[in-house]
Amino acid sequence: MPIVPDTAGALVLRTDFSDDAAFEAVRAACETTSPEGFGADLTFVSDRAFAGVTPEQVVALPKAGYSGFVFLVDDVTITAPEMPVVVVDLLHEPGRWFRVEPAEMWAVENNLSLGNMDFFEFADHADPDGVFRAFPD
């Protein structure tokens, strides 16, 4: 059983290994700063021990450190044009998840890491397809 690593930045765990070029495109999109200059503090882990891990399974895995959430790059992230990344709650409602488009990862990571907002505030504002794209104006 793999151990979820403790990382300096918010963990982005690769669970799909079908397309290295697509993964690198996802990574680049996630690392892009917003027009206002905000960026996410992310640490990408690409370890085949996590291949196929689901949001429900990642909650049950042993953790090397404390984290309230984790990002997953799964098969949908790799194949969908929008590249929506999974965000999994590990703290308040372990296993609850939604997807976020890479352009909004900074908002999720910054606010959850600093405790400015709670997981449910983003999850509850995901669009009907389960993807958080931004808060309404």
Side-chain angles (χ1 to χ4, degrees):
M1 176 178 295
I3 297 173
V4 176
D6 188 18
T7 57
L11 175 61
V12 183
L13 192 60
R14 182 180 183 183
T15 67
D16 181 282
F17 292 84
S18 64
D19 187 335
D20 290 340
F23 175 73
E24 290 305 321
V26 169
R27 183 179 184 143
C30 295
E31 292 176 329
T32 301
T33 57
S34 74
E36 300 81 17
F38 295 107
D41 181 14
L42 306 171
T43 301
F44 289 82
V45 172
S46 183
D47 181 341
R48 289 188 181 272
F50 296 101
V53 168
T54 66
E56 297 76 19
Q57 292 169 330
V58 78
V59 171
L61 291 175
K63 317 287 185 293
Y66 169 80
S67 180
F69 65 97
V70 63
F71 294 106
L72 302 179
V73 175
D74 66 356
D75 61 323
V76 173
T77 309
I78 293 296
T79 60
E82 197 175 23
M83 300 183 288
V85 176
V86 178
V87 190
V88 183
D89 188 357
L90 301 177
L91 185 61
H92 298 291
E93 297 178 70
R96 183 176 184 192
W97 61 276
F98 64 94
R99 291 184 180 275
V100 61
E101 65 177 7
E104 289 296 320
M105 282 184 69
W106 70 269
V108 174
E109 184 279 322
N110 287 195
N111 285 293
L112 293 182
S113 293
L114 294 172
N116 289 340
M117 297 177 75
D118 289 321
F119 189 92
F120 76 89
E121 293 177 87
F122 289 98
D124 290 352
H125 283 91
D127 290 340
D129 64 356
V131 179
F132 177 81
R133 292 180 175 87
F135 287 106
D137 291 334

